[in-house]
Amino acid sequence: AQKVTQAQTEISVVEKEDVTLDCVYETRDTTYYLFWYKQPPSGELVFLIRRNSFDEQNEISGRYSWNFQKSTSSFNFTITASQVVDSAVYFCALSEAVDMRFGAGTRLTVKP
Amino acid sequence: AAGVIQSPRHLIKEKRETATLKCYPIPRHDTVYWYQQGPGQDPQFLISFYEKMQSDKGSIPDRFSAQQFSDYHSELNMSSLELGDSALYFCASSEGADGNTIYFGEGSWLTVV
């Protein structure tokens, strides 16, 4: 069965610090997809990134970057120069076929 | 761009009552998903539909049922509501399945009192 582990329950940083959110996954499939979603206090789930298992290229989007390493089954998310608006719960998720399973989430608090 | 539309956004029901949540997927999306997120929890997959047929089933209680209609909108029906059903219910949609990006609606807050 697929499984996603986000070991960091809560992280607190001061604005402008860099922060990395960890995600480790388990799957028996060779084809799978990894996602990150952001859930701000208002509650909606905002899509951030999708990565398939055959694409290990790291990706950078503005202050966000993702490090996908199949060798360690990890898909970590780094926010550079964090801002107060980055405060949210961040979920890593894994999809093998139809449905998507989430990790427990990491609550990030960025203090001014 | 159009997003996933859910209604109602907030709903208060008493125990043993019935509730229906509606979901309108992004245009041209043929796959709909329902997730339940309890307080402080991660979203749990309930059920999904592809081209109006149930495609996968997760931890959906027998008291709940769902369907996808010819216009691709979906409804989640919840009967004999219990206090533990109080949660944020997300509908999501994608174009096809198999790992395509799933976009979520803003959620429907259900409170059972």
Side-chain angles (χ1 to χ4, degrees), chain A residues 56-84:
Chain A
E56 286 193 74
Q57 279 192 344
N58 292 328
E59 181 159 339
I60 297 175
S61 176
R63 296 184 297 107
Y64 295 171
S65 62
W66 290 269
N67 185 321
F68 176 30
Q69 296 207 355
K70 288 179 72 172
S71 60
T72 55
S73 297
S74 65
F75 187 43
N76 297 338
F77 172 32
T78 297
I79 301 175
T80 303
S82 59
Q83 299 176 1
V84 173

PDB file of all heavy atoms in Angstrom, chain A residues 56-84:
ATOM      1  N   GLU A  56      13.265  12.844 -12.417  1.00  0.00           N
ATOM      2  CA  GLU A  56      13.940  13.185 -11.177  1.00  0.00           C
ATOM      3  C   GLU A  56      14.572  14.558 -11.201  1.00  0.00           C
ATOM      4  O   GLU A  56      15.311  14.919 -10.298  1.00  0.00           O
ATOM      5  CB  GLU A  56      15.008  12.135 -10.848  1.00  0.00           C
ATOM      6  CG  GLU A  56      14.444  10.823 -10.353  1.00  0.00           C
ATOM      7  CD  GLU A  56      15.519   9.932  -9.749  1.00  0.00           C
ATOM      8  OE1 GLU A  56      15.976  10.226  -8.632  1.00  0.00           O
ATOM      9  OE2 GLU A  56      15.896   8.944 -10.416  1.00  0.00           O
ATOM     10  N   GLN A  57      14.285  15.307 -12.230  1.00  0.00           N
ATOM     11  CA  GLN A  57      14.841  16.657 -12.284  1.00  0.00           C
ATOM     12  C   GLN A  57      14.281  17.500 -11.157  1.00  0.00           C
ATOM     13  O   GLN A  57      13.088  17.497 -10.903  1.00  0.00           O
ATOM     14  CB  GLN A  57      14.493  17.311 -13.626  1.00  0.00           C
ATOM     15  CG  GLN A  57      15.390  16.906 -14.757  1.00  0.00           C
ATOM     16  CD  GLN A  57      15.188  17.793 -15.976  1.00  0.00           C
ATOM     17  OE1 GLN A  57      14.205  18.499 -16.076  1.00  0.00           O
ATOM     18  NE2 GLN A  57      16.121  17.743 -16.894  1.00  0.00           N
ATOM     19  N   ASN A  58      15.148  18.219 -10.504  1.00  0.00           N
ATOM     20  CA  ASN A  58      14.677  19.146  -9.494  1.00  0.00           C
ATOM     21  C   ASN A  58      14.017  20.335 -10.175  1.00  0.00           C
ATOM     22  O   ASN A  58      14.312  20.650 -11.325  1.00  0.00           O
ATOM     23  CB  ASN A  58      15.833  19.608  -8.611  1.00  0.00           C
ATOM     24  CG  ASN A  58      16.363  18.472  -7.753  1.00  0.00           C
ATOM     25  OD1 ASN A  58      15.615  17.589  -7.352  1.00  0.00           O
ATOM     26  ND2 ASN A  58      17.659  18.481  -7.489  1.00  0.00           N
ATOM     27  N   GLU A  59      13.121  20.962  -9.459  1.00  0.00           N
ATOM     28  CA  GLU A  59      12.390  22.073 -10.063  1.00  0.00           C
ATOM     29  C   GLU A  59      12.412  23.281  -9.150  1.00  0.00           C
ATOM     30  O   GLU A  59      12.361  23.153  -7.924  1.00  0.00           O
ATOM     31  CB  GLU A  59      10.938  21.654 -10.336  1.00  0.00           C
ATOM     32  CG  GLU A  59      10.105  22.747 -10.985  1.00  0.00           C
ATOM     33  CD  GLU A  59       8.896  22.211 -11.698  1.00  0.00           C
ATOM     34  OE1 GLU A  59       8.882  21.015 -12.048  1.00  0.00           O
ATOM     35  OE2 GLU A  59       7.949  22.993 -11.911  1.00  0.00           O
ATOM     36  N   ILE A  60      12.493  24.420  -9.773  1.00  0.00           N
ATOM     37  CA  ILE A  60      12.482  25.680  -9.033  1.00  0.00           C
ATOM     38  C   ILE A  60      11.394  26.557  -9.623  1.00  0.00           C
ATOM     39  O   ILE A  60      11.259  26.686 -10.842  1.00  0.00           O
ATOM     40  CB  ILE A  60      13.842  26.410  -9.144  1.00  0.00           C
ATOM     41  CG1 ILE A  60      14.948  25.562  -8.514  1.00  0.00           C
ATOM     42  CG2 ILE A  60      13.771  27.771  -8.454  1.00  0.00           C
ATOM     43  CD1 ILE A  60      16.336  26.155  -8.691  1.00  0.00           C
ATOM     44  N   SER A  61      10.596  27.125  -8.722  1.00  0.00           N
ATOM     45  CA  SER A  61       9.554  28.060  -9.151  1.00  0.00           C
ATOM     46  C   SER A  61       9.569  29.223  -8.188  1.00  0.00           C
ATOM     47  O   SER A  61       9.010  29.163  -7.095  1.00  0.00           O
ATOM     48  CB  SER A  61       8.188  27.360  -9.145  1.00  0.00           C
ATOM     49  OG  SER A  61       7.166  28.283  -9.470  1.00  0.00           O
ATOM     50  N   GLY A  62      10.231  30.277  -8.577  1.00  0.00           N
ATOM     51  CA  GLY A  62      10.355  31.427  -7.691  1.00  0.00           C
ATOM     52  C   GLY A  62      11.108  31.077  -6.430  1.00  0.00           C
ATOM     53  O   GLY A  62      12.244  30.596  -6.485  1.00  0.00           O
ATOM     54  N   ARG A  63      10.467  31.258  -5.304  1.00  0.00           N
ATOM     55  CA  ARG A  63      11.115  30.953  -4.022  1.00  0.00           C
ATOM     56  C   ARG A  63      10.966  29.480  -3.633  1.00  0.00           C
ATOM     57  O   ARG A  63      11.504  29.049  -2.615  1.00  0.00           O
ATOM     58  CB  ARG A  63      10.516  31.830  -2.916  1.00  0.00           C
ATOM     59  CG  ARG A  63      10.760  33.318  -3.087  1.00  0.00           C
ATOM     60  CD  ARG A  63      10.237  34.122  -1.922  1.00  0.00           C
ATOM     61  NE  ARG A  63       8.782  34.021  -1.775  1.00  0.00           N
ATOM     62  CZ  ARG A  63       8.184  33.323  -0.819  1.00  0.00           C
ATOM     63  NH1 ARG A  63       8.883  32.660   0.081  1.00  0.00           N
ATOM     64  NH2 ARG A  63       6.855  33.297  -0.750  1.00  0.00           N
ATOM     65  N   TYR A  64      10.209  28.738  -4.423  1.00  0.00           N
ATOM     66  CA  TYR A  64       9.948  27.328  -4.132  1.00  0.00           C
ATOM     67  C   TYR A  64      10.883  26.434  -4.953  1.00  0.00           C
ATOM     68  O   TYR A  64      11.122  26.705  -6.141  1.00  0.00           O
ATOM     69  CB  TYR A  64       8.500  26.959  -4.498  1.00  0.00           C
ATOM     70  CG  TYR A  64       7.417  27.623  -3.699  1.00  0.00           C
ATOM     71  CD1 TYR A  64       6.083  27.484  -4.095  1.00  0.00           C
ATOM     72  CD2 TYR A  64       7.673  28.380  -2.574  1.00  0.00           C
ATOM     73  CE1 TYR A  64       5.049  28.075  -3.374  1.00  0.00           C
ATOM     74  CE2 TYR A  64       6.660  28.971  -1.845  1.00  0.00           C
ATOM     75  CZ  TYR A  64       5.342  28.822  -2.254  1.00  0.00           C
ATOM     76  OH  TYR A  64       4.326  29.415  -1.536  1.00  0.00           O
ATOM     77  N   SER A  65      11.354  25.373  -4.325  1.00  0.00           N
ATOM     78  CA  SER A  65      12.107  24.377  -5.067  1.00  0.00           C
ATOM     79  C   SER A  65      11.823  23.008  -4.491  1.00  0.00           C
ATOM     80  O   SER A  65      11.459  22.869  -3.311  1.00  0.00           O
ATOM     81  CB  SER A  65      13.615  24.679  -5.013  1.00  0.00           C
ATOM     82  OG  SER A  65      14.087  24.631  -3.684  1.00  0.00           O
ATOM     83  N   TRP A  66      11.952  21.998  -5.355  1.00  0.00           N
ATOM     84  CA  TRP A  66      11.648  20.642  -4.952  1.00  0.00           C
ATOM     85  C   TRP A  66      12.808  19.728  -5.327  1.00  0.00           C
ATOM     86  O   TRP A  66      13.366  19.833  -6.421  1.00  0.00           O
ATOM     87  CB  TRP A  66      10.369  20.149  -5.640  1.00  0.00           C
ATOM     88  CG  TRP A  66       9.137  20.835  -5.135  1.00  0.00           C
ATOM     89  CD1 TRP A  66       8.335  20.445  -4.120  1.00  0.00           C
ATOM     90  CD2 TRP A  66       8.584  22.059  -5.632  1.00  0.00           C
ATOM     91  NE1 TRP A  66       7.307  21.343  -3.950  1.00  0.00           N
ATOM     92  CE2 TRP A  66       7.439  22.341  -4.858  1.00  0.00           C
ATOM     93  CE3 TRP A  66       8.939  22.948  -6.644  1.00  0.00           C
ATOM     94  CZ2 TRP A  66       6.637  23.466  -5.063  1.00  0.00           C
ATOM     95  CZ3 TRP A  66       8.158  24.074  -6.861  1.00  0.00           C
ATOM     96  CH2 TRP A  66       7.023  24.317  -6.069  1.00  0.00           C
ATOM     97  N   ASN A  67      13.134  18.822  -4.416  1.00  0.00           N
ATOM     98  CA  ASN A  67      14.215  17.874  -4.604  1.00  0.00           C
ATOM     99  C   ASN A  67      13.644  16.463  -4.562  1.00  0.00           C
ATOM    100  O   ASN A  67      13.242  15.979  -3.506  1.00  0.00           O
ATOM    101  CB  ASN A  67      15.269  18.076  -3.506  1.00  0.00           C
ATOM    102  CG  ASN A  67      16.484  17.200  -3.722  1.00  0.00           C
ATOM    103  OD1 ASN A  67      16.373  16.049  -4.129  1.00  0.00           O
ATOM    104  ND2 ASN A  67      17.654  17.735  -3.473  1.00  0.00           N
ATOM    105  N   PHE A  68      13.624  15.803  -5.706  1.00  0.00           N
ATOM    106  CA  PHE A  68      13.063  14.459  -5.813  1.00  0.00           C
ATOM    107  C   PHE A  68      14.219  13.484  -5.921  1.00  0.00           C
ATOM    108  O   PHE A  68      15.024  13.567  -6.851  1.00  0.00           O
ATOM    109  CB  PHE A  68      12.155  14.373  -7.045  1.00  0.00           C
ATOM    110  CG  PHE A  68      11.585  13.011  -7.327  1.00  0.00           C
ATOM    111  CD1 PHE A  68      11.336  12.100  -6.312  1.00  0.00           C
ATOM    112  CD2 PHE A  68      11.280  12.641  -8.629  1.00  0.00           C
ATOM    113  CE1 PHE A  68      10.801  10.855  -6.583  1.00  0.00           C
ATOM    114  CE2 PHE A  68      10.737  11.390  -8.915  1.00  0.00           C
ATOM    115  CZ  PHE A  68      10.504  10.501  -7.892  1.00  0.00           C
ATOM    116  N   GLN A  69      14.295  12.539  -4.985  1.00  0.00           N
ATOM    117  CA  GLN A  69      15.360  11.539  -5.014  1.00  0.00           C
ATOM    118  C   GLN A  69      14.738  10.155  -4.850  1.00  0.00           C
ATOM    119  O   GLN A  69      14.323   9.779  -3.748  1.00  0.00           O
ATOM    120  CB  GLN A  69      16.378  11.806  -3.903  1.00  0.00           C
ATOM    121  CG  GLN A  69      17.124  13.121  -4.071  1.00  0.00           C
ATOM    122  CD  GLN A  69      18.502  13.086  -3.430  1.00  0.00           C
ATOM    123  OE1 GLN A  69      18.872  12.120  -2.773  1.00  0.00           O
ATOM    124  NE2 GLN A  69      19.267  14.145  -3.627  1.00  0.00           N
ATOM    125  N   LYS A  70      14.693   9.399  -5.927  1.00  0.00           N
ATOM    126  CA  LYS A  70      14.127   8.060  -5.877  1.00  0.00           C
ATOM    127  C   LYS A  70      14.959   7.140  -4.997  1.00  0.00           C
ATOM    128  O   LYS A  70      14.429   6.230  -4.364  1.00  0.00           O
ATOM    129  CB  LYS A  70      14.013   7.478  -7.285  1.00  0.00           C
ATOM    130  CG  LYS A  70      12.925   8.135  -8.104  1.00  0.00           C
ATOM    131  CD  LYS A  70      12.843   7.550  -9.497  1.00  0.00           C
ATOM    132  CE  LYS A  70      12.280   6.159  -9.504  1.00  0.00           C
ATOM    133  NZ  LYS A  70      12.038   5.668 -10.871  1.00  0.00           N
ATOM    134  N   SER A  71      16.257   7.356  -4.951  1.00  0.00           N
ATOM    135  CA  SER A  71      17.132   6.474  -4.176  1.00  0.00           C
ATOM    136  C   SER A  71      16.772   6.482  -2.693  1.00  0.00           C
ATOM    137  O   SER A  71      16.954   5.476  -1.996  1.00  0.00           O
ATOM    138  CB  SER A  71      18.591   6.893  -4.357  1.00  0.00           C
ATOM    139  OG  SER A  71      18.792   8.227  -3.922  1.00  0.00           O
ATOM    140  N   THR A  72      16.255   7.607  -2.221  1.00  0.00           N
ATOM    141  CA  THR A  72      15.867   7.703  -0.809  1.00  0.00           C
ATOM    142  C   THR A  72      14.348   7.848  -0.653  1.00  0.00           C
ATOM    143  O   THR A  72      13.860   8.084   0.449  1.00  0.00           O
ATOM    144  CB  THR A  72      16.551   8.909  -0.143  1.00  0.00           C
ATOM    145  OG1 THR A  72      16.242  10.096  -0.901  1.00  0.00           O
ATOM    146  CG2 THR A  72      18.050   8.719  -0.082  1.00  0.00           C
ATOM    147  N   SER A  73      13.632   7.698  -1.774  1.00  0.00           N
ATOM    148  CA  SER A  73      12.156   7.831  -1.761  1.00  0.00           C
ATOM    149  C   SER A  73      11.735   9.120  -1.067  1.00  0.00           C
ATOM    150  O   SER A  73      10.886   9.133  -0.170  1.00  0.00           O
ATOM    151  CB  SER A  73      11.514   6.631  -1.053  1.00  0.00           C
ATOM    152  OG  SER A  73      11.780   5.451  -1.746  1.00  0.00           O
ATOM    153  N   SER A  74      12.353  10.204  -1.472  1.00  0.00           N
ATOM    154  CA  SER A  74      12.033  11.476  -0.840  1.00  0.00           C
ATOM    155  C   SER A  74      11.675  12.532  -1.884  1.00  0.00           C
ATOM    156  O   SER A  74      12.157  12.498  -3.026  1.00  0.00           O
ATOM    157  CB  SER A  74      13.199  11.962   0.014  1.00  0.00           C
ATOM    158  OG  SER A  74      14.331  12.243  -0.798  1.00  0.00           O
ATOM    159  N   PHE A  75      10.833  13.434  -1.483  1.00  0.00           N
ATOM    160  CA  PHE A  75      10.399  14.534  -2.355  1.00  0.00           C
ATOM    161  C   PHE A  75      10.265  15.762  -1.476  1.00  0.00           C
ATOM    162  O   PHE A  75       9.180  16.146  -1.059  1.00  0.00           O
ATOM    163  CB  PHE A  75       9.079  14.159  -3.029  1.00  0.00           C
ATOM    164  CG  PHE A  75       8.612  15.143  -4.070  1.00  0.00           C
ATOM    165  CD1 PHE A  75       9.489  15.693  -4.984  1.00  0.00           C
ATOM    166  CD2 PHE A  75       7.269  15.498  -4.147  1.00  0.00           C
ATOM    167  CE1 PHE A  75       9.054  16.586  -5.959  1.00  0.00           C
ATOM    168  CE2 PHE A  75       6.821  16.393  -5.119  1.00  0.00           C
ATOM    169  CZ  PHE A  75       7.713  16.935  -6.024  1.00  0.00           C
ATOM    170  N   ASN A  76      11.397  16.388  -1.195  1.00  0.00           N
ATOM    171  CA  ASN A  76      11.434  17.491  -0.245  1.00  0.00           C
ATOM    172  C   ASN A  76      11.165  18.835  -0.898  1.00  0.00           C
ATOM    173  O   ASN A  76      11.469  19.039  -2.079  1.00  0.00           O
ATOM    174  CB  ASN A  76      12.780  17.528   0.475  1.00  0.00           C
ATOM    175  CG  ASN A  76      13.027  16.272   1.300  1.00  0.00           C
ATOM    176  OD1 ASN A  76      12.085  15.575   1.675  1.00  0.00           O
ATOM    177  ND2 ASN A  76      14.282  15.978   1.563  1.00  0.00           N
ATOM    178  N   PHE A  77      10.629  19.728  -0.120  1.00  0.00           N
ATOM    179  CA  PHE A  77      10.164  21.034  -0.592  1.00  0.00           C
ATOM    180  C   PHE A  77      10.870  22.125   0.200  1.00  0.00           C
ATOM    181  O   PHE A  77      10.831  22.104   1.431  1.00  0.00           O
ATOM    182  CB  PHE A  77       8.646  21.083  -0.403  1.00  0.00           C
ATOM    183  CG  PHE A  77       7.987  22.406  -0.662  1.00  0.00           C
ATOM    184  CD1 PHE A  77       8.471  23.292  -1.618  1.00  0.00           C
ATOM    185  CD2 PHE A  77       6.840  22.757   0.038  1.00  0.00           C
ATOM    186  CE1 PHE A  77       7.830  24.504  -1.863  1.00  0.00           C
ATOM    187  CE2 PHE A  77       6.191  23.963  -0.204  1.00  0.00           C
ATOM    188  CZ  PHE A  77       6.688  24.838  -1.150  1.00  0.00           C
ATOM    189  N   THR A  78      11.531  23.036  -0.506  1.00  0.00           N
ATOM    190  CA  THR A  78      12.256  24.114   0.147  1.00  0.00           C
ATOM    191  C   THR A  78      11.659  25.464  -0.224  1.00  0.00           C
ATOM    192  O   THR A  78      11.403  25.721  -1.407  1.00  0.00           O
ATOM    193  CB  THR A  78      13.748  24.094  -0.229  1.00  0.00           C
ATOM    194  OG1 THR A  78      14.330  22.870   0.249  1.00  0.00           O
ATOM    195  CG2 THR A  78      14.486  25.275   0.392  1.00  0.00           C
ATOM    196  N   ILE A  79      11.443  26.273   0.778  1.00  0.00           N
ATOM    197  CA  ILE A  79      11.013  27.653   0.556  1.00  0.00           C
ATOM    198  C   ILE A  79      12.194  28.544   0.917  1.00  0.00           C
ATOM    199  O   ILE A  79      12.709  28.488   2.053  1.00  0.00           O
ATOM    200  CB  ILE A  79       9.794  28.030   1.419  1.00  0.00           C
ATOM    201  CG1 ILE A  79       8.622  27.091   1.106  1.00  0.00           C
ATOM    202  CG2 ILE A  79       9.395  29.482   1.168  1.00  0.00           C
ATOM    203  CD1 ILE A  79       7.412  27.319   2.005  1.00  0.00           C
ATOM    204  N   THR A  80      12.607  29.342  -0.024  1.00  0.00           N
ATOM    205  CA  THR A  80      13.728  30.253   0.193  1.00  0.00           C
ATOM    206  C   THR A  80      13.203  31.622   0.589  1.00  0.00           C
ATOM    207  O   THR A  80      12.180  32.073   0.068  1.00  0.00           O
ATOM    208  CB  THR A  80      14.551  30.373  -1.102  1.00  0.00           C
ATOM    209  OG1 THR A  80      14.991  29.060  -1.499  1.00  0.00           O
ATOM    210  CG2 THR A  80      15.761  31.264  -0.902  1.00  0.00           C
ATOM    211  N   ALA A  81      13.897  32.253   1.529  1.00  0.00           N
ATOM    212  CA  ALA A  81      13.497  33.598   1.978  1.00  0.00           C
ATOM    213  C   ALA A  81      12.010  33.611   2.325  1.00  0.00           C
ATOM    214  O   ALA A  81      11.218  34.339   1.711  1.00  0.00           O
ATOM    215  CB  ALA A  81      13.830  34.634   0.904  1.00  0.00           C
ATOM    216  N   SER A  82      11.646  32.829   3.305  1.00  0.00           N
ATOM    217  CA  SER A  82      10.234  32.644   3.657  1.00  0.00           C
ATOM    218  C   SER A  82       9.566  33.975   4.004  1.00  0.00           C
ATOM    219  O   SER A  82      10.212  34.941   4.446  1.00  0.00           O
ATOM    220  CB  SER A  82      10.120  31.679   4.833  1.00  0.00           C
ATOM    221  OG  SER A  82      10.823  32.184   5.955  1.00  0.00           O
ATOM    222  N   GLN A  83       8.253  33.985   3.772  1.00  0.00           N
ATOM    223  CA  GLN A  83       7.450  35.171   4.056  1.00  0.00           C
ATOM    224  C   GLN A  83       6.272  34.769   4.941  1.00  0.00           C
ATOM    225  O   GLN A  83       5.870  33.602   4.970  1.00  0.00           O
ATOM    226  CB  GLN A  83       6.923  35.777   2.748  1.00  0.00           C
ATOM    227  CG  GLN A  83       8.020  36.217   1.792  1.00  0.00           C
ATOM    228  CD  GLN A  83       7.474  36.725   0.481  1.00  0.00           C
ATOM    229  OE1 GLN A  83       6.256  36.766   0.262  1.00  0.00           O
ATOM    230  NE2 GLN A  83       8.366  37.125  -0.410  1.00  0.00           N
ATOM    231  N   VAL A  84       5.709  35.742   5.617  1.00  0.00           N
ATOM    232  CA  VAL A  84       4.580  35.462   6.510  1.00  0.00           C
ATOM    233  C   VAL A  84       3.443  34.772   5.759  1.00  0.00           C
ATOM    234  O   VAL A  84       2.771  33.882   6.272  1.00  0.00           O
ATOM    235  CB  VAL A  84       4.095  36.754   7.192  1.00  0.00           C
ATOM    236  CG1 VAL A  84       2.816  36.494   7.978  1.00  0.00           C
ATOM    237  CG2 VAL A  84       5.185  37.316   8.111  1.00  0.00           C
TER     238      VAL A  84
END
